[in-house]
Amino acid sequence: IQLSVEVEAENLAPKAVNWEITSEGDIATVNNSGYVSTKAGETGTVVVKATSVFDSTKSDTCTITVS
């Protein structure tokens, strides 16, 4: 699954984000571009978090159910 994010930054602030899996378990990975890969045969819930590189207090999450 390819995730995307829209960052509204003031002035010339960077719009990049860091992606990470914040849920427990080891059923998926996310790369620097927001592409989520699940491991074959695994099921469960994955929470992916995108955090602003410019302001780490700005973030959002997405919950994905793998079945």
Side-chain angles (χ1 to χ4, degrees), residues 6-53:
E6 184 176 324
V7 177
E8 294 181 14
E10 295 182 23
N11 301 321
L12 298 176
K15 295 183 178 183
V17 297
N18 289 322
W19 296 93
E20 65 179 313
I21 302 287
T22 59
S23 53
E24 293 183 21
D26 190 27
I27 65 172
T29 59
V30 62
N31 71 13
N32 292 339
S33 299
Y35 186 82
V36 179
S37 300
T38 59
K39 296 186 178 177
E42 299 288 338
T43 61
T45 302
V46 177
V47 178
V48 181
K49 182 177 183 180
T51 303
S52 168
V53 170

